[in-house]
Amino acid sequence: MDTLEVALGARSYPIHIGAGLIGDRELVGKTITAEQVLIVTDTTVAPLYLDALQRSLAERTCRTHVLAEGEQHKTLATLAEIVDTLVAENFHRDACIVALGGGVVGDIAGFTAACYQRGIDFVQVPTTLLAQVDSSVGGKTAVNHPRAKNMIGAFYQPTAVIADIGTLTTLPPRELAAGLAEVVKYGLILDAKFFGWLEDHVEALLALDADALGHVVRRSCELKAMIVAEDERERGRRALLNLGHTFGHALESLGGYGRWLHGEAVAIGTVLAACTSVELGKLTVSDAERIEALLDRFGLPTRANGLSERAILEAMAIDKKATAAGLNLVLLDAIGTGIIEAAPPDELLLSVLADLAAN
Ligand SMILES: NC(=O)c1ccc[n+]([C@@H]2O[C@H](COP(=O)([O-])OP(=O)(O)OC[C@H]3O[C@@H](n4cnc5c(N)ncnc54)[C@H](O)[C@@H]3O)[C@@H](O)[C@H]2O)c1
C-alpha cells in the first residue's frame, strides 16, 4: 500500500492506495474512527463491495443508504433522502459518512456531510478510476441543477481516501476509459513525461494491469494533491484541473446527462481545448494530433456529432467557471503546460466548435 498526503494544515488527510484495502480491517478500522457510520453507495456497487466494507467496520453502528445508480440522481432530492436517513437513524455530529462508489456517490455523500448538522466527517472509498484519480481527492462536493452541472455544492474535504484499486477489475470498459480521460488531463496540464508514459502503456491499462493502474492512480493523486494544497478554493492554479471541462460540462448538459459519461464529455472537451490552443498559435498541430490519438486509443469519443455550435457556446456561458468578467478557459501552451486564459472571441470558438462538434 502507498499513502500520500493532501497537505492542508489541520485539515490534511491521507490517500491510501492499494489492492484489497476495503477488506483490510486494520486499515479501515483506524481510518474510520466514528462510532456511527452511514455508508452511502449505489445499486451497482452495493452487491460488489458493501459486504466487505461492512465486515471491516464490524464493531460500529453501521447503516447503509443505497442510491439509484447514475448522474441523473445527483440532485438535491437525493441529498434530502440521505438526510432523512441520518435523521431517522439519529446520527450525531460525531458520525461519519462513508462514500463507497464512483464520483456521483462521492459528490453527493460529500455534500451531504458538509450540510448535515453544519458538517460531519466523511471518508471517500472510490471504486471507479475517475473517482480514484480525481473526484475523491480535493474536497469539491456538489449536486446538479437541472440546467447546470455541479451548480449547488461546497468545498468540503474528506478526512481520508481509501482507493482500493482491486475494485477496478469489475469496472465496465467504458467507465475505465472515462477515468482515463481525467488521467490524460494531468499529463497535459502538468506532466509531459507522464503523458508519454501513458502513450507507452495504453494496452497495459486497458488490460487492467495492476502495476500500470497503481502507477496511474498514484501519479494522478500526487499531482492533484499538489495543486489542491497550493490552491484549495480554486482562486488560481487549481482551475487548470478544468481542462476540457467547460466544453465538457456544456456537452453533458446538452446531452441530458445521459448521452456521454462525464469522462467522455471531458475527452471531447479536451480535444476542443487543444484545437482552440492551436487556433491561438499556442499548441502545435502535431501535439494536438497526439492528444486526440491517445484519447482515441483509450476508446474515448473525440467529437460531439449532431450538436449546434451555438447551443454549445450558450451552454458554456452557464458553466460556473464563468465569472462576471467573462469565461476563462484552460488551454495548452504545450503538452505538459496548461494555462488559464480569458476565452477568445466567440467567432473563434464557434469556428472550432463547427469543425469538431457539429459535423
Ligand atoms: N468532485 C470532484 O472533484 C469531481 C471531479 C471529477 C468528476 N466529478 C464527478 O464525478 C462524477 C462521475 O464519476 P464516475 O465516473 O465515477 O461516475 P459514477 O459514480 O456514476 O460511476 C460510474 C458507474 O460505475 C458504477 N461503478 C462504480 N464502481 C464500480 C465498480 N468498481 N465496478 C463496477 N461498476 C462500478 C457505478 O454504479 C456507475 O454506474 C460526475 O458527477 C462528475 O461531475 C467530481
Side-chain angles (χ1 to χ4, degrees), residues 53-117:
L53 184 58
Q54 281 172 328
R55 263 183 268 121
S56 294
L57 285 164
E59 282 92 45
R60 314 305 166 77
T61 308
C62 199
R63 298 283 181 267
T64 304
H65 187 108
V66 182
L67 309 177
E69 168 281 327
E71 180 78 31
Q72 66 276 28
H73 300 290
K74 192 172 137 178
T75 61
L76 274 178
T78 304
L79 180 148
E81 286 165 17
I82 304 172
V83 172
D84 286 347
T85 301
L86 289 163
V87 173
E89 298 286 347
N90 195 22
F91 268 61
H92 304 304
R93 290 184 70 176
D94 52 2
C96 178
I97 292 181
V98 177
L100 172 69
V104 168
V105 165
D107 278 12
I108 304 176
F111 187 41
T112 310
C115 297
Y116 186 67
Q117 300 204 15

Short mmCIF file of all heavy atoms in Angstrom, two decimals, residues 53-117:
data_model
loop_
_atom_site.label_atom_id
_atom_site.label_comp_id
_atom_site.label_asym_id
_atom_site.label_seq_id
_atom_site.Cartn_x
_atom_site.Cartn_y
_atom_site.Cartn_z
N LEU A 53 -16.89 -4.05 3.05
CA LEU A 53 -16.67 -2.84 3.85
C LEU A 53 -17.37 -2.96 5.20
O LEU A 53 -16.81 -2.61 6.24
CB LEU A 53 -17.19 -1.61 3.08
CG LEU A 53 -16.93 -0.26 3.74
CD1 LEU A 53 -15.43 -0.03 3.99
CD2 LEU A 53 -17.49 0.89 2.89
N GLN A 54 -18.59 -3.50 5.19
CA GLN A 54 -19.30 -3.67 6.47
C GLN A 54 -18.54 -4.59 7.40
O GLN A 54 -18.46 -4.35 8.61
CB GLN A 54 -20.71 -4.21 6.21
CG GLN A 54 -21.68 -3.14 5.76
CD GLN A 54 -23.02 -3.70 5.33
OE1 GLN A 54 -23.10 -4.81 4.81
NE2 GLN A 54 -24.07 -2.94 5.51
N ARG A 55 -17.97 -5.66 6.83
CA ARG A 55 -17.20 -6.59 7.68
C ARG A 55 -16.01 -5.87 8.31
O ARG A 55 -15.65 -6.09 9.46
CB ARG A 55 -16.74 -7.80 6.86
CG ARG A 55 -17.70 -8.98 7.05
CD ARG A 55 -17.24 -10.23 6.32
NE ARG A 55 -17.81 -10.26 4.98
CZ ARG A 55 -17.13 -10.30 3.85
NH1 ARG A 55 -15.81 -10.35 3.88
NH2 ARG A 55 -17.73 -10.31 2.68
N SER A 56 -15.39 -4.97 7.54
CA SER A 56 -14.24 -4.23 8.08
C SER A 56 -14.66 -3.23 9.15
O SER A 56 -13.82 -2.71 9.89
CB SER A 56 -13.50 -3.51 6.96
OG SER A 56 -12.91 -4.45 6.09
N LEU A 57 -15.97 -2.94 9.20
CA LEU A 57 -16.47 -1.96 10.19
C LEU A 57 -17.32 -2.66 11.25
O LEU A 57 -18.18 -2.04 11.87
CB LEU A 57 -17.33 -0.91 9.47
CG LEU A 57 -16.58 0.14 8.65
CD1 LEU A 57 -17.54 0.86 7.71
CD2 LEU A 57 -15.88 1.14 9.55
N ALA A 58 -17.07 -3.92 11.44
CA ALA A 58 -17.98 -4.78 12.20
C ALA A 58 -18.40 -4.24 13.56
O ALA A 58 -19.55 -4.37 13.94
CB ALA A 58 -17.37 -6.16 12.36
N GLU A 59 -17.49 -3.58 14.25
CA GLU A 59 -17.84 -3.18 15.63
C GLU A 59 -18.61 -1.87 15.71
O GLU A 59 -18.95 -1.42 16.79
CB GLU A 59 -16.58 -3.06 16.49
CG GLU A 59 -16.03 -4.40 16.96
CD GLU A 59 -15.00 -4.95 16.00
OE1 GLU A 59 -14.14 -4.18 15.56
OE2 GLU A 59 -15.10 -6.14 15.64
N ARG A 60 -18.88 -1.25 14.57
CA ARG A 60 -19.55 0.06 14.62
C ARG A 60 -21.06 -0.07 14.44
O ARG A 60 -21.57 -1.08 13.96
CB ARG A 60 -19.05 0.98 13.49
CG ARG A 60 -17.59 1.03 13.30
CD ARG A 60 -16.86 1.40 14.58
NE ARG A 60 -15.46 1.10 14.36
CZ ARG A 60 -14.65 1.87 13.65
NH1 ARG A 60 -15.11 2.97 13.12
NH2 ARG A 60 -13.40 1.53 13.47
N THR A 61 -21.75 1.04 14.74
CA THR A 61 -23.16 1.14 14.37
C THR A 61 -23.16 1.58 12.91
O THR A 61 -22.88 2.73 12.60
CB THR A 61 -23.85 2.22 15.23
OG1 THR A 61 -23.59 1.93 16.58
CG2 THR A 61 -25.35 2.24 14.95
N CYS A 62 -23.41 0.64 12.04
CA CYS A 62 -23.22 0.89 10.62
C CYS A 62 -24.56 0.81 9.89
O CYS A 62 -25.24 -0.20 9.95
CB CYS A 62 -22.25 -0.15 10.10
SG CYS A 62 -21.49 0.28 8.58
N ARG A 63 -24.95 1.90 9.23
CA ARG A 63 -26.18 1.91 8.42
C ARG A 63 -25.79 2.15 6.97
O ARG A 63 -24.71 2.67 6.68
CB ARG A 63 -27.13 3.03 8.87
CG ARG A 63 -27.60 2.87 10.30
CD ARG A 63 -28.70 1.81 10.42
NE ARG A 63 -29.15 1.68 11.80
CZ ARG A 63 -28.65 0.82 12.68
NH1 ARG A 63 -27.68 0.00 12.33
NH2 ARG A 63 -29.12 0.76 13.92
N THR A 64 -26.73 1.80 6.08
CA THR A 64 -26.42 1.96 4.66
C THR A 64 -27.53 2.71 3.96
O THR A 64 -28.71 2.50 4.26
CB THR A 64 -26.29 0.56 4.01
OG1 THR A 64 -25.30 -0.17 4.73
CG2 THR A 64 -25.85 0.67 2.56
N HIS A 65 -27.17 3.59 3.04
CA HIS A 65 -28.16 4.26 2.18
C HIS A 65 -27.74 3.98 0.73
O HIS A 65 -26.68 4.43 0.30
CB HIS A 65 -28.18 5.77 2.47
CG HIS A 65 -29.28 6.47 1.75
ND1 HIS A 65 -30.40 6.96 2.38
CD2 HIS A 65 -29.45 6.75 0.43
CE1 HIS A 65 -31.21 7.52 1.49
NE2 HIS A 65 -30.65 7.40 0.29
N VAL A 66 -28.58 3.23 0.03
CA VAL A 66 -28.23 2.84 -1.35
C VAL A 66 -28.98 3.73 -2.34
O VAL A 66 -30.21 3.79 -2.33
CB VAL A 66 -28.59 1.35 -1.61
CG1 VAL A 66 -28.17 0.94 -3.02
CG2 VAL A 66 -27.90 0.45 -0.58
N LEU A 67 -28.21 4.43 -3.17
CA LEU A 67 -28.80 5.33 -4.16
C LEU A 67 -29.07 4.59 -5.46
O LEU A 67 -28.35 3.65 -5.80
CB LEU A 67 -27.82 6.47 -4.50
CG LEU A 67 -27.21 7.25 -3.35
CD1 LEU A 67 -26.22 8.28 -3.89
CD2 LEU A 67 -28.31 7.94 -2.56
N ALA A 68 -30.08 5.06 -6.20
CA ALA A 68 -30.21 4.60 -7.58
C ALA A 68 -28.96 5.06 -8.32
O ALA A 68 -28.44 6.14 -8.05
CB ALA A 68 -31.46 5.19 -8.21
N GLU A 69 -28.47 4.22 -9.21
CA GLU A 69 -27.20 4.50 -9.87
C GLU A 69 -27.38 5.55 -10.97
O GLU A 69 -28.41 5.59 -11.63
CB GLU A 69 -26.71 3.14 -10.41
CG GLU A 69 -25.57 3.11 -11.36
CD GLU A 69 -25.98 3.45 -12.77
OE1 GLU A 69 -27.10 3.13 -13.19
OE2 GLU A 69 -25.14 4.08 -13.43
N GLY A 70 -26.39 6.45 -11.13
CA GLY A 70 -26.40 7.33 -12.30
C GLY A 70 -26.40 8.82 -11.98
O GLY A 70 -26.93 9.27 -10.97
N GLU A 71 -25.81 9.55 -12.92
CA GLU A 71 -25.66 11.01 -12.81
C GLU A 71 -27.00 11.73 -12.63
O GLU A 71 -27.09 12.76 -11.97
CB GLU A 71 -24.95 11.51 -14.09
CG GLU A 71 -24.70 13.00 -14.17
CD GLU A 71 -23.52 13.47 -13.33
OE1 GLU A 71 -22.55 12.71 -13.14
OE2 GLU A 71 -23.58 14.62 -12.87
N GLN A 72 -28.06 11.17 -13.23
CA GLN A 72 -29.36 11.87 -13.16
C GLN A 72 -29.92 11.91 -11.74
O GLN A 72 -30.84 12.65 -11.45
CB GLN A 72 -30.38 11.25 -14.15
CG GLN A 72 -30.83 9.83 -13.88
CD GLN A 72 -29.85 8.79 -14.46
OE1 GLN A 72 -28.66 9.03 -14.60
NE2 GLN A 72 -30.38 7.61 -14.77
N HIS A 73 -29.30 11.11 -10.84
CA HIS A 73 -29.75 11.13 -9.44
C HIS A 73 -28.87 12.03 -8.57
O HIS A 73 -29.05 12.06 -7.35
CB HIS A 73 -29.77 9.71 -8.88
CG HIS A 73 -30.69 8.81 -9.65
ND1 HIS A 73 -32.06 8.94 -9.61
CD2 HIS A 73 -30.44 7.80 -10.52
CE1 HIS A 73 -32.62 8.05 -10.41
NE2 HIS A 73 -31.65 7.35 -10.98
N LYS A 74 -27.94 12.74 -9.20
CA LYS A 74 -27.07 13.62 -8.41
C LYS A 74 -27.81 14.94 -8.19
O LYS A 74 -27.50 15.97 -8.80
CB LYS A 74 -25.75 13.81 -9.17
CG LYS A 74 -24.66 14.46 -8.39
CD LYS A 74 -23.36 14.44 -9.16
CE LYS A 74 -22.63 15.73 -9.06
NZ LYS A 74 -21.34 15.72 -9.76
N THR A 75 -28.83 14.89 -7.34
CA THR A 75 -29.74 16.03 -7.20
C THR A 75 -29.95 16.38 -5.73
O THR A 75 -29.65 15.59 -4.83
CB THR A 75 -31.13 15.67 -7.77
OG1 THR A 75 -31.62 14.55 -7.01
CG2 THR A 75 -31.05 15.31 -9.24
N LEU A 76 -30.57 17.55 -5.52
CA LEU A 76 -30.92 17.96 -4.16
C LEU A 76 -31.92 16.99 -3.55
O LEU A 76 -31.89 16.75 -2.34
CB LEU A 76 -31.54 19.36 -4.19
CG LEU A 76 -30.56 20.53 -4.13
CD1 LEU A 76 -31.34 21.84 -4.23
CD2 LEU A 76 -29.74 20.51 -2.84
N ALA A 77 -32.80 16.41 -4.39
CA ALA A 77 -33.79 15.47 -3.86
C ALA A 77 -33.09 14.25 -3.25
O ALA A 77 -33.47 13.75 -2.18
CB ALA A 77 -34.74 15.04 -4.97
N THR A 78 -32.04 13.76 -3.92
CA THR A 78 -31.30 12.61 -3.38
C THR A 78 -30.62 12.99 -2.07
O THR A 78 -30.62 12.21 -1.10
CB THR A 78 -30.25 12.14 -4.41
OG1 THR A 78 -30.92 11.84 -5.62
CG2 THR A 78 -29.50 10.92 -3.91
N LEU A 79 -30.03 14.18 -2.04
CA LEU A 79 -29.39 14.64 -0.80
C LEU A 79 -30.41 14.65 0.34
O LEU A 79 -30.13 14.18 1.45
CB LEU A 79 -28.81 16.04 -1.03
CG LEU A 79 -28.10 16.70 0.15
CD1 LEU A 79 -26.98 17.60 -0.36
CD2 LEU A 79 -29.03 17.50 1.03
N ALA A 80 -31.61 15.15 0.04
CA ALA A 80 -32.65 15.23 1.09
C ALA A 80 -32.99 13.83 1.61
O ALA A 80 -33.22 13.64 2.81
CB ALA A 80 -33.89 15.93 0.55
N GLU A 81 -32.98 12.84 0.71
CA GLU A 81 -33.29 11.48 1.15
C GLU A 81 -32.21 10.94 2.10
O GLU A 81 -32.50 10.25 3.07
CB GLU A 81 -33.41 10.55 -0.06
CG GLU A 81 -34.70 10.76 -0.85
CD GLU A 81 -34.64 10.11 -2.24
OE1 GLU A 81 -33.77 9.23 -2.46
OE2 GLU A 81 -35.46 10.50 -3.08
N ILE A 82 -30.96 11.27 1.80
CA ILE A 82 -29.88 10.80 2.70
C ILE A 82 -30.01 11.49 4.07
O ILE A 82 -29.85 10.87 5.12
CB ILE A 82 -28.48 11.08 2.09
CG1 ILE A 82 -28.35 10.44 0.72
CG2 ILE A 82 -27.38 10.55 3.02
CD1 ILE A 82 -27.08 10.81 -0.02
N VAL A 83 -30.34 12.78 4.04
CA VAL A 83 -30.54 13.49 5.31
C VAL A 83 -31.68 12.84 6.09
O VAL A 83 -31.60 12.65 7.31
CB VAL A 83 -30.80 14.99 5.07
CG1 VAL A 83 -31.20 15.69 6.37
CG2 VAL A 83 -29.55 15.66 4.48
N ASP A 84 -32.75 12.44 5.37
CA ASP A 84 -33.87 11.75 6.06
C ASP A 84 -33.36 10.51 6.79
O ASP A 84 -33.74 10.23 7.92
CB ASP A 84 -34.94 11.32 5.04
CG ASP A 84 -35.76 12.51 4.54
OD1 ASP A 84 -35.67 13.60 5.14
OD2 ASP A 84 -36.48 12.34 3.53
N THR A 85 -32.49 9.75 6.12
CA THR A 85 -31.92 8.55 6.76
C THR A 85 -31.11 8.93 8.00
O THR A 85 -31.23 8.31 9.06
CB THR A 85 -31.02 7.77 5.77
OG1 THR A 85 -31.80 7.40 4.65
CG2 THR A 85 -30.40 6.55 6.41
N LEU A 86 -30.28 9.97 7.87
CA LEU A 86 -29.44 10.38 9.01
C LEU A 86 -30.30 10.79 10.20
O LEU A 86 -30.02 10.42 11.35
CB LEU A 86 -28.53 11.55 8.60
CG LEU A 86 -27.40 11.21 7.62
CD1 LEU A 86 -26.85 12.47 6.96
CD2 LEU A 86 -26.27 10.47 8.35
N VAL A 87 -31.37 11.52 9.90
CA VAL A 87 -32.25 11.97 10.98
C VAL A 87 -33.00 10.78 11.57
O VAL A 87 -33.07 10.60 12.79
CB VAL A 87 -33.24 13.06 10.47
CG1 VAL A 87 -34.27 13.40 11.56
CG2 VAL A 87 -32.48 14.30 10.02
N ALA A 88 -33.54 9.93 10.69
CA ALA A 88 -34.32 8.78 11.16
C ALA A 88 -33.46 7.87 12.04
O ALA A 88 -33.95 7.28 13.01
CB ALA A 88 -34.86 8.00 9.96
N GLU A 89 -32.18 7.76 11.71
CA GLU A 89 -31.29 6.87 12.46
C GLU A 89 -30.62 7.60 13.64
O GLU A 89 -29.71 7.07 14.25
CB GLU A 89 -30.22 6.28 11.54
CG GLU A 89 -30.77 5.41 10.41
CD GLU A 89 -31.27 4.06 10.90
OE1 GLU A 89 -30.97 3.69 12.06
OE2 GLU A 89 -31.98 3.38 10.12
N ASN A 90 -31.02 8.86 13.83
CA ASN A 90 -30.49 9.64 14.95
C ASN A 90 -28.96 9.77 14.91
O ASN A 90 -28.27 9.54 15.90
CB ASN A 90 -30.95 8.99 16.27
CG ASN A 90 -30.77 9.92 17.45
OD1 ASN A 90 -30.68 11.14 17.28
ND2 ASN A 90 -30.68 9.35 18.64
N PHE A 91 -28.45 10.13 13.77
CA PHE A 91 -27.00 10.31 13.64
C PHE A 91 -26.57 11.64 14.27
O PHE A 91 -27.18 12.67 14.06
CB PHE A 91 -26.58 10.26 12.16
CG PHE A 91 -26.19 8.88 11.71
CD1 PHE A 91 -27.11 7.84 11.76
CD2 PHE A 91 -24.90 8.62 11.27
CE1 PHE A 91 -26.75 6.56 11.38
CE2 PHE A 91 -24.53 7.34 10.90
CZ PHE A 91 -25.45 6.31 10.94
N HIS A 92 -25.46 11.56 15.04
CA HIS A 92 -24.98 12.73 15.79
C HIS A 92 -23.90 13.47 15.01
O HIS A 92 -23.46 13.03 13.95
CB HIS A 92 -24.40 12.29 17.14
CG HIS A 92 -25.37 11.51 17.95
ND1 HIS A 92 -26.62 11.98 18.28
CD2 HIS A 92 -25.28 10.27 18.51
CE1 HIS A 92 -27.26 11.08 19.00
NE2 HIS A 92 -26.47 10.02 19.15
N ARG A 93 -23.42 14.55 15.61
CA ARG A 93 -22.41 15.39 14.95
C ARG A 93 -21.07 14.69 14.79
O ARG A 93 -20.25 15.08 13.97
CB ARG A 93 -22.18 16.66 15.77
CG ARG A 93 -23.35 17.59 15.71
CD ARG A 93 -23.06 18.86 16.45
NE ARG A 93 -22.06 19.66 15.73
CZ ARG A 93 -21.68 20.85 16.11
NH1 ARG A 93 -22.17 21.39 17.19
NH2 ARG A 93 -20.79 21.53 15.42
N ASP A 94 -20.82 13.68 15.64
CA ASP A 94 -19.52 12.99 15.52
C ASP A 94 -19.63 11.72 14.67
O ASP A 94 -18.75 10.88 14.69
CB ASP A 94 -18.95 12.67 16.91
CG ASP A 94 -19.96 11.92 17.79
OD1 ASP A 94 -21.08 11.63 17.28
OD2 ASP A 94 -19.63 11.64 18.95
N ALA A 95 -20.71 11.62 13.90
CA ALA A 95 -20.87 10.48 12.98
C ALA A 95 -20.00 10.70 11.74
O ALA A 95 -19.44 11.78 11.54
CB ALA A 95 -22.33 10.35 12.59
N CYS A 96 -19.92 9.66 10.94
CA CYS A 96 -19.11 9.74 9.71
C CYS A 96 -19.90 9.17 8.54
O CYS A 96 -20.53 8.11 8.67
CB CYS A 96 -17.81 8.94 9.91
SG CYS A 96 -16.75 8.92 8.46
N ILE A 97 -19.87 9.86 7.41
CA ILE A 97 -20.45 9.32 6.18
C ILE A 97 -19.31 8.72 5.37
O ILE A 97 -18.25 9.35 5.19
CB ILE A 97 -21.16 10.41 5.37
CG1 ILE A 97 -22.41 10.90 6.12
CG2 ILE A 97 -21.55 9.89 3.98
CD1 ILE A 97 -23.20 11.97 5.38
N VAL A 98 -19.52 7.51 4.88
CA VAL A 98 -18.52 6.87 4.02
C VAL A 98 -19.11 6.75 2.62
O VAL A 98 -20.17 6.15 2.45
CB VAL A 98 -18.13 5.47 4.56
CG1 VAL A 98 -17.14 4.79 3.62
CG2 VAL A 98 -17.52 5.60 5.96
N ALA A 99 -18.43 7.33 1.65
CA ALA A 99 -18.90 7.28 0.26
C ALA A 99 -18.23 6.09 -0.43
O ALA A 99 -17.02 6.11 -0.68
CB ALA A 99 -18.53 8.57 -0.46
N LEU A 100 -19.01 5.06 -0.71
CA LEU A 100 -18.49 3.86 -1.38
C LEU A 100 -19.04 3.83 -2.80
O LEU A 100 -20.20 3.48 -3.02
CB LEU A 100 -18.94 2.61 -0.61
CG LEU A 100 -18.63 1.25 -1.26
CD1 LEU A 100 -17.13 0.97 -1.26
CD2 LEU A 100 -19.37 0.11 -0.54
N GLY A 101 -18.23 4.23 -3.76
CA GLY A 101 -18.73 4.24 -5.14
C GLY A 101 -17.93 5.18 -6.01
O GLY A 101 -16.80 5.56 -5.69
N GLY A 102 -18.56 5.56 -7.12
CA GLY A 102 -17.89 6.45 -8.06
C GLY A 102 -18.07 7.91 -7.68
O GLY A 102 -18.46 8.23 -6.54
N GLY A 103 -17.80 8.77 -8.64
CA GLY A 103 -17.84 10.21 -8.37
C GLY A 103 -19.21 10.72 -8.02
O GLY A 103 -19.35 11.68 -7.25
N VAL A 104 -20.25 10.08 -8.55
CA VAL A 104 -21.60 10.54 -8.23
C VAL A 104 -21.88 10.34 -6.75
O VAL A 104 -22.29 11.26 -6.04
CB VAL A 104 -22.64 9.80 -9.12
CG1 VAL A 104 -24.05 10.04 -8.61
CG2 VAL A 104 -22.52 10.25 -10.57
N VAL A 105 -21.61 9.13 -6.26
CA VAL A 105 -21.80 8.83 -4.84
C VAL A 105 -20.92 9.76 -3.99
O VAL A 105 -21.38 10.35 -3.00
CB VAL A 105 -21.48 7.35 -4.54
CG1 VAL A 105 -21.32 7.10 -3.06
CG2 VAL A 105 -22.56 6.45 -5.13
N GLY A 106 -19.67 9.91 -4.38
CA GLY A 106 -18.73 10.74 -3.61
C GLY A 106 -19.17 12.19 -3.54
O GLY A 106 -19.12 12.82 -2.48
N ASP A 107 -19.63 12.72 -4.67
CA ASP A 107 -20.04 14.14 -4.69
C ASP A 107 -21.28 14.37 -3.85
O ASP A 107 -21.37 15.35 -3.10
CB ASP A 107 -20.32 14.58 -6.14
CG ASP A 107 -19.05 14.94 -6.90
OD1 ASP A 107 -17.94 14.63 -6.41
OD2 ASP A 107 -19.16 15.54 -7.99
N ILE A 108 -22.26 13.46 -3.95
CA ILE A 108 -23.50 13.65 -3.17
C ILE A 108 -23.22 13.42 -1.69
O ILE A 108 -23.65 14.18 -0.83
CB ILE A 108 -24.62 12.66 -3.58
CG1 ILE A 108 -24.93 12.76 -5.06
CG2 ILE A 108 -25.88 12.90 -2.75
CD1 ILE A 108 -25.97 11.73 -5.51
N ALA A 109 -22.53 12.31 -1.38
CA ALA A 109 -22.28 11.98 0.03
C ALA A 109 -21.44 13.07 0.69
O ALA A 109 -21.69 13.45 1.85
CB ALA A 109 -21.58 10.62 0.13
N GLY A 110 -20.46 13.58 -0.05
CA GLY A 110 -19.61 14.64 0.50
C GLY A 110 -20.40 15.90 0.78
O GLY A 110 -20.24 16.55 1.82
N PHE A 111 -21.28 16.26 -0.15
CA PHE A 111 -22.07 17.49 0.06
C PHE A 111 -23.06 17.28 1.20
O PHE A 111 -23.32 18.19 1.99
CB PHE A 111 -22.77 17.88 -1.24
CG PHE A 111 -23.47 19.22 -1.17
CD1 PHE A 111 -22.88 20.30 -0.52
CD2 PHE A 111 -24.72 19.40 -1.75
CE1 PHE A 111 -23.52 21.53 -0.44
CE2 PHE A 111 -25.36 20.63 -1.68
CZ PHE A 111 -24.77 21.70 -1.03
N THR A 112 -23.60 16.07 1.32
CA THR A 112 -24.50 15.79 2.45
C THR A 112 -23.73 15.93 3.76
O THR A 112 -24.22 16.52 4.73
CB THR A 112 -25.09 14.36 2.34
OG1 THR A 112 -25.63 14.18 1.04
CG2 THR A 112 -26.17 14.14 3.38
N ALA A 113 -22.50 15.40 3.79
CA ALA A 113 -21.68 15.51 5.01
C ALA A 113 -21.41 16.98 5.33
O ALA A 113 -21.40 17.38 6.50
CB ALA A 113 -20.37 14.75 4.84
N ALA A 114 -21.21 17.79 4.30
CA ALA A 114 -20.95 19.22 4.52
C ALA A 114 -22.17 19.92 5.12
O ALA A 114 -22.03 20.87 5.89
CB ALA A 114 -20.57 19.89 3.20
N CYS A 115 -23.37 19.44 4.76
CA CYS A 115 -24.61 20.12 5.17
C CYS A 115 -25.15 19.60 6.50
O CYS A 115 -25.72 20.36 7.28
CB CYS A 115 -25.70 19.93 4.11
SG CYS A 115 -25.31 20.66 2.52
N TYR A 116 -25.02 18.28 6.74
CA TYR A 116 -25.71 17.69 7.90
C TYR A 116 -25.14 18.27 9.19
O TYR A 116 -23.92 18.19 9.44
CB TYR A 116 -25.55 16.16 7.87
CG TYR A 116 -26.37 15.48 8.97
CD1 TYR A 116 -27.75 15.51 8.93
CD2 TYR A 116 -25.74 14.84 10.02
CE1 TYR A 116 -28.50 14.90 9.94
CE2 TYR A 116 -26.47 14.23 11.02
CZ TYR A 116 -27.86 14.26 10.97
OH TYR A 116 -28.60 13.66 11.96
N GLN A 117 -25.98 18.85 9.97
CA GLN A 117 -25.58 19.49 11.24
C GLN A 117 -24.38 20.42 11.03
O GLN A 117 -23.47 20.46 11.84
CB GLN A 117 -25.28 18.43 12.29
CG GLN A 117 -26.49 17.56 12.58
CD GLN A 117 -26.45 16.93 13.95
OE1 GLN A 117 -25.68 17.34 14.81
NE2 GLN A 117 -27.29 15.94 14.16
#
